[in-house]
Amino acid sequence: MESTLRWIVLIPLIGAALNGFTVRMMPRKLAGIIACSAVGISFLLSVRLFIAMIGMDVADRSLHDLVYTWISFGGIQIDVGFAMDQLGVIMALVVSGVGFLIHVYSIGYMAHDEGSNRFFAYLNLFIFAMMMLVLGENLIMLFVGWEGVGLCSYLLISFWFNDEANAAAGKKAFIVNRVGDFGFLLGLFVIGVNLLPHLNPGEGLFAFSVLQHHAHILAPAATVIGLLLFLGATGKSAQIPLFIWLPDAMAGPTPVSALIHAATMVTAGVYMIARLNFLYVLSDTAMLVIAIVGAATALLAATIALTQNDIKKVLAYSTVSQLGYMILACGVGAFATGVFHLMTHAFFKALLFLGSGSVIHAMSNEQDMRLMGGLRKKLPLTWPTFIIGTVALAGVFPFAGFFSKDEILWKAFSDGNIWLWITGFLAAGLTAFYMMRLVVLTFFGKNRASDEVKSHIHESPLTMTLPLVVLAVLSIVGGWIGIPHFMGGGNHFEMWLEPVFNSSHHGAAHAAAAHADHAAEVAMEWTLASASLAWALIGISLGTFIYMKKIAIANAAKRFAGGSIYKVLLNKYFIDEAYEKAIVNPGYKFSNGFLFKIFDKVIIDGILVNGSAFVVAVTGSLLRLFQNGMVRFYAWGLFAGVAMFIIYLQLAS
Amino acid sequence: MTFVTDSILSWVTFLPLAGALLILLFARKDNIARLIAMGVAVADFILSLHLWFHFDNANAADQFTELVPWLANGKINYSMGLDGVSLLLVLLTTFLGPLVILSTWSAIKHRVAESMAFLLFLQTAMIGTFLARDMLLFYVFWEAMLIPMYFIIGIWGGERRIYAAVKLFIYTMAGSLLMLVAILYMYSQAGTMSLDGFMSLNIPAEQQMWLFLAFTLAFAIKVPLFPFHTWLPDAHVEAPTAGSVILAGILLKMGTYGMLRFSIPLFPSAAIEFGPWFAVLAVIGIIYGALVAMVQKDVKKLVAYSSVSHLGFVVLGLFSLTAAGVAGGIYQMLAHGLSTGALFLLVGVIYERRHTRLISDFGGLAHQMPVYASIFLFVTLASIGLPGLCGFAGEFMVLFGSFSSTLLPHAKLLVILSSTGVILGAIYMLWMYQRVFLGKLANEANQSLKDMSLREIFVLLPILIFIIVLGILPGPFLEKIEPSIDRLLTPVLELRQETPADHHITIPHTNESHDSQTEMEIH
């Protein structure tokens, strides 16, 4: 059974190869079916292992599939192998499950695109890399998957490469992620150097089980390792300071935004931290940094989302913000909660992106919400599913997002740092507000598009709406597996993951505290949960009221403080421009103006190389007999010299 | 066949030379010359496979050795041998050989027979350089490489071919002469030209310095190490595609090979003392090469500067003086040979069609040449070290080995700086790719371009396959070089063990775990 693991990973690769090498010949429909089947099989195999795992003793819920040894050199051993535990199986189910739905959706969405076969090949390749990331048994495998999903992201963002802007967005995503990878690699080196002398023969240097076993050895370096790896996570999971690539990534086709840039790939950083929880809990500093970055990102991105006019950009900043919550959860040691939000977010954010895709499809590729409106009646399936996704994201009881987000806020609160909670709480209200703004602008009021566009508005085909319905159901019920104890739920989700995170001292401390003063704590949990819900409802009501009835309030807000605040938010705090001015432009000018044109051409080549050659030439002109300028002459001269030397040796002996 | 297998190294080395003579003397017709050259190159590759399959992995010493007295009563011999390091580099040479010849099919149209002869002659010289175990023999092969290369650039090159060829020639000659002086001095001390004899010389540390510098400078020019690199862009830009592929694929590795084979084991104390300076130059080269590559307007020049950056990793790995770093360096040599060789072949494909290599002349080529664009992207990814392809394992081992080095001062800082190469590599390659292949197909001259022909794909295909093989299966390659690397590093590590304190060489070891570290390296 354990060798099933490799097939979960490899079957999507086979699908990608089938479609990739036959791009021209493969009929479009068949390509879609192949791609969907490949992911579908992966999903079914994951389900099978999940069921098997449920039937096992808790201690045995860890499957291993060693394929071969990648490197074995001087005591460094790195294997190619897969492992699945309680965390891995959830990730595998989310990736292949949501992935499958989005593949099906893509059949409809890409039906008229000439490059749809190429699209499906990339999409399958992505699932392969993502599965490697979540099922790899060591950090190197994780990194291979990590880079692989980055590549697919690059390919898919610049999928419509005819527009240079799309190509630039793909490149930006790759390069910004590479900045993160720089930190990730250094983190790997610090781990390796510290661990290598203590390994027993046959232990893989970066294997998770080995890392966990020897975690105490890494304790002195835990802060450095944790922060370096976290730099990688800020790239992949779009956190401050590297989140700037994700909004641009919306240049890719919408299913890509749903799958890669909302549901799966961008959660890789969260997964990595959760996977290495035993390392992170060894460093309070690293944990604090992570919590602060997460909370700050959640708020910062939510403020930007308030002002964006592109429907996908709003959702993109919302994703950045929600990823901030997950990171915050990890930072306060609530790894299981972070993963819980990862899962519910995968459902409702995929739903929202696919819904926006359906809207864009109906609007003849228009993405500006100022030119939408009134689509409620025209899109009878998209509209209700979209509103379900919205309330789930806003955190309304009993939808999925309520349970996971509320749990994060509670964990942040009980961690003792009130500012983390306040930041997260503020962002939650903004979330509800900007989502209602989006909903009202898109689905209510009059349609503001041109007549030409209006005449084409239509609901999407079944392959697109069916995934919406499934995801809508998941966005409702998905949170119910994690209903907390104080509400009378079993919190099955956290209990399932507990063996993975049981080393977390944070969790243990909280459990102890919970027992000490149970009644007071339950009361506090009820208070906070009610406050969250009320706060979300306020955000929703305000958003609805302002954008439906009193648009003047929004306009007044825009003009507040001379419009400067609005301008800052609309332009995303000018962070892109700052990077451009501080790094990109000076870097290019320095390289081109100084390094290449002056240092390389003039100083080294001009003065040192050709200058000394010139001196030699002038001197040599006195010896014109030998200096005939024919390198052929020198070449044979060289040979003659060697020959004379050889003859000399022969005679001398 | 025993007469072949008994002197297999000579066969592999001189078969191409025999082919060259055959062509020059009897077969000067274009197509016949091509066919003979191709046949000889393929035969040479098949012969060299014998080495791979009969190589004893566990044996650190030279294998398939040949020794024939040559001069000076046995003091100078025709001495050939092959260890794991030589094995991989010889195989890289014989592997690229036929592909290079096939790539000239349509690129070289005049003086075909001579071009074939020079390519084969060059192959003999390169293989000989990797196999010679007598210093005079080595030097003869080493210098012999220059002659065909000079003509390949000088006759079949671009507009400024004479300037580039002369520059290449004089520049590398200047370095080599220093090495020759060092060799002659050591000959006078050892009374033999054999490498083993040189190895058993006990050279005092002060003399080691001069000898080390003479050798390593010659090699540094060949690599080329910053700041000795300016001959390279000129040579590459002017060289025909075949010349560039050989230059990048193999010739540059002569420098790093020489450092590993001679500089480090012959002069261990100097390697410990002065090696770090070369490591620093390597790190500067990694960043400098990448930044200068970024601003190039000519694709070929961009790839040329990227070699400065890539080879910097190799040199850093070598002078980390750790087994992992050295192994990573060798692996990076193979990976660079494949990926950069392929890049030059690909640049040749478009140059043959458009007779320009300026990035600004292109844009949107992926519309018109999808196969070409896909293959180019694949090789680009290999070049920037995407895991799963050939570039990653070597880069990773170089950086990891250097990070763990106790002999390299400020090793961690150097690794941090070099790791920025990971970012810079992506920047210059992907930016170039974007400007050449993506966007609109605006330039009319590009709108009727034909995609790659079957022959062109066929030339690339073996390289593409090995880019994947090296990425996912480093094991069989690393196990061949591990004992040889341990052997080459033994003098350094012995010295390190004997004299940690009283020797005048200061070895920084602030790391607590350095004792176990050393054990690991010896192990």
Side-chain angles (χ1 to χ4, degrees), chain B residues 232-432:
Chain B
L232 185 71
D234 286 318
H236 267 312
V237 167
E238 300 308 326
T241 298
S244 285
V245 175
I246 295 177
L247 199 55
I250 314 202
L251 270 185
L252 304 189
K253 276 78 188 181
M254 296 297 169
T256 43
Y257 170 80
M259 289 175 181
L260 177 60
R261 173 74 64 207
F262 305 109
S263 300
I264 292 173
L266 285 179
F267 319 109
S269 99
I272 293 174
E273 197 174 3
F274 297 100
W277 291 105
F278 286 90
V280 168
L281 288 180
V283 173
I284 295 175
I286 290 172
I287 300 169
Y288 181 90
L291 289 176
V292 175
M294 180 176 77
V295 300
Q296 294 308 310
K297 296 179 164 57
D298 179 311
V299 185
K300 210 171 179 188
K301 226 167 174 173
L302 185 150
V303 180
Y305 275 105
S306 83
S307 287
V308 177
S309 188
H310 283 289
L311 269 295
F313 279 103
V314 180
V315 175
L316 173 65
L318 297 183
F319 284 109
S320 76
L321 301 176
T322 61
V326 171
I330 295 168
Y331 211 74
Q332 174 83 347
M333 283 155 77
L334 299 181
H336 175 265
L338 294 178
S339 61
T340 308
L343 280 175
F344 279 121
L345 285 171
L346 287 164
V347 173
V349 166
I350 195 67
Y351 184 74
E352 260 183 58
R353 285 163 173 69
R354 287 278 281 105
H355 297 285
T356 171
R357 290 180 302 247
L358 286 183
I359 293 172
S360 56
D361 284 337
F362 301 111
L365 287 192
H367 295 283
Q368 190 64 26
M369 307 173 73
V371 175
Y372 180 59
S374 309
I375 294 179
F376 204 112
L377 180 63
F378 182 84
V379 178
T380 295
L381 295 169
S383 168
I384 64 180
L386 192 84
L389 303 180
C390 63
F392 176 65
E395 222 170 76
F396 184 82
M397 288 182 77
V398 163
L399 292 172
F400 182 60
S402 308
F403 200 77
S404 65
S405 174
T406 49
L407 289 173
L408 187 60
H410 308 295
K412 294 189 168 56
L413 177 66
L414 292 178
V415 170
I416 293 171
L417 292 172
S418 334
S419 298
T420 59
V422 170
I423 307 169
L424 298 173
I427 293 178
Y428 66 76
M429 287 307 285
L430 290 185
W431 192 35
M432 179 268 283

Side-chain angles (χ1 to χ4, degrees), chain A residues 3 9 46 92 111 164 308 351 415 424 474 483 526 575 584 622:
Chain A
S3 63
V9 179
S46 304
E164 186 116 15
Q308 299 302 305
L351 169 61
D415 192 54
L474 288 170
I483 297 177
W526 274 114
I575 293 172
V584 179
L622 299 171

Side-chain angles (χ1 to χ4, degrees), chain B residues 192-212:
Chain B
T192 171
M193 275 286 184
S194 84
L195 180 55
D196 288 338
F198 276 31
M199 289 284 283
S200 50
L201 271 180
N202 242 331
I203 312 169
E206 312 79 67
Q207 287 181 27
Q208 279 198 23
M209 179 182 97
W210 295 110
L211 296 169
F212 173 83

Side-chain angles (χ1 to χ4, degrees), chain A residues 186-393:
Chain A
L186 291 175
L188 290 181
F189 300 150
V190 179
I191 291 176
V193 167
N194 282 287
L195 208 53
L196 193 55
H198 303 279
L199 282 189
N200 306 314
E203 281 187 321
L205 180 53
F206 294 101
F208 294 122
S209 55
V210 175
L211 295 181
Q212 185 154 15
H213 185 241
H214 294 294
H216 57 282
I217 294 168
L218 296 173
T223 303
V224 176
I225 295 169
L227 290 177
L228 285 171
L229 293 179
F230 182 60
L231 182 60
T234 60
K236 200 73 42 201
S237 289
Q239 299 294 294
I240 296 171
L242 298 180
F243 68 93
I244 48 163
W245 65 271
L246 185 59
D248 291 44
M250 296 302 121
T254 303
V256 171
S257 312
L259 177 61
I260 301 186
H261 304 121
T264 56
M265 180 188 86
V266 288
T267 62
V270 181
Y271 167 75
M272 186 269 293
I273 297 171
R275 176 53 79 202
L276 295 177
N277 65 86
F278 51 84
L279 253 182
Y280 274 98
V281 293
L282 297 174
S283 166
D284 289 338
T285 314
M287 291 291 271
L288 184 63
V289 170
I290 291 173
I292 292 173
V293 168
T297 308
L299 184 60
L300 179 97
T303 57
I304 300 175
L306 293 173
T307 58
Q308 299 302 305
N309 292 317
D310 181 322
I311 185 169
K312 283 180 73 180
K313 285 271 162 79
V314 177
L315 292 176
Y317 281 104
S318 165
T319 303
V320 174
S321 173
Q322 297 300 309
L323 289 166
Y325 280 105
M326 299 173 210
I327 296 283
L328 165 63
C330 293
V332 297
F335 302 104
T337 316
V339 176
F340 186 30
H341 196 55
L342 183 162
M343 184 188 76
T344 59
H345 177 259
F347 298 151
F348 58 69
K349 192 52 72 64
L351 169 61
L352 289 170
F353 265 115
L354 294 186
S356 79
S358 182
V359 167
I360 294 164
H361 200 69
M363 295 295 297
S364 310
N365 295 327
E366 182 57 62
Q367 296 187 194
D368 192 332
M369 296 186 298
R370 287 170 297 188
L371 299 175
M372 297 181 181
L375 293 176
R376 197 164 26 121
K377 292 173 199 129
K378 301 273 180 64
L379 306 176
L381 262 172
T382 305
W383 147 248
T385 54
F386 200 92
I387 201 73
I388 290 171
T390 302
V391 288
L393 168 58

Side-chain angles (χ1 to χ4, degrees), chain A residues 24 68-76 78 80 122 140 143-144 147-148 151 154-155 158 161-164 167-168 170-171 174-175 178-182 185-186 188-193 196-198 205-206 587-588 590-592 595-597 599-601 604-605 609-610 629-632 634-636 638-639 642 645-647 649-650 653, chain B residues 70-73 76 136 140 143 147 150-151 163 166-167 169 171 173 184 187 193 226-227 229-230 234 288 291-292 294-296 305 323-324 327 366-367 370 377 381 384-387 392-393 396-397 399-400 403-404 415-416 419-420 422-423 426-427 430-431 433-434 437-440 471-475 478 482 485 511 513 516-517 520:
Chain A
R24 297 291 170 74
Y68 66 96
T69 297
W70 186 58
I71 283 183
S72 172
F73 185 93
I76 304 169
I78 302 169
V80 170
Y122 291 166
I140 302 294
F143 187 67
V144 175
E147 292 280 286
L151 164 68
Y154 165 78
L155 292 172
S158 43
F161 58 82
N162 193 33
D163 186 346
E164 186 116 15
K171 181 193 67 190
F174 197 95
I175 290 169
R178 275 263 159 153
V179 176
D181 296 345
F182 161 77
L185 271 178
L186 291 175
L188 290 181
F189 300 150
V190 179
I191 291 176
V193 167
L196 193 55
H198 303 279
L205 180 53
F206 294 101
Y588 184 85
F590 172 74
S591 302
N592 193 35
L595 282 187
F596 177 53
K597 291 199 171 141
F599 194 78
D600 209 70
K601 275 190 166 167
I604 298 185
D605 207 36
V609 176
N610 288 338
M630 297 268 290
V631 175
R632 243 181 270 210
Y634 304 146
W636 297 124
L638 165 75
F639 248 76
V642 173
F645 175 66
I646 291 169
I647 292 164
L649 290 170
Q650 196 75 288
S653 58
Chain B
W70 185 18
L71 298 166
N73 284 339
I76 300 172
L136 186 67
V140 171
E143 292 293 17
I147 296 163
Y150 169 78
F151 285 115
Y163 170 74
V166 171
K167 193 169 177 181
F169 197 95
Y171 213 140
M173 270 292 295
L184 290 176
Y187 174 67
M193 275 286 184
F226 173 91
H229 63 274
T230 54
D234 286 318
Y288 181 90
L291 289 176
V292 175
M294 180 176 77
V295 300
Q296 294 308 310
Y305 275 105
H367 295 283
L377 180 63
L381 295 169
I384 64 180
L386 192 84
F392 176 65
F396 184 82
M397 288 182 77
L399 292 172
F400 182 60
F403 200 77
S404 65
V415 170
I416 293 171
S419 298
T420 59
V422 170
I423 307 169
I427 293 178
L430 290 185
W431 192 35
Y433 189 82
Q434 179 192 330
F437 290 96
L438 306 181
K440 288 185 182 58
I472 58 181
L473 279 177
L478 290 175
E482 186 167 2
I485 289 172
N511 194 335
S513 63
S516 39
Q517 198 73 42
M520 183 274 292

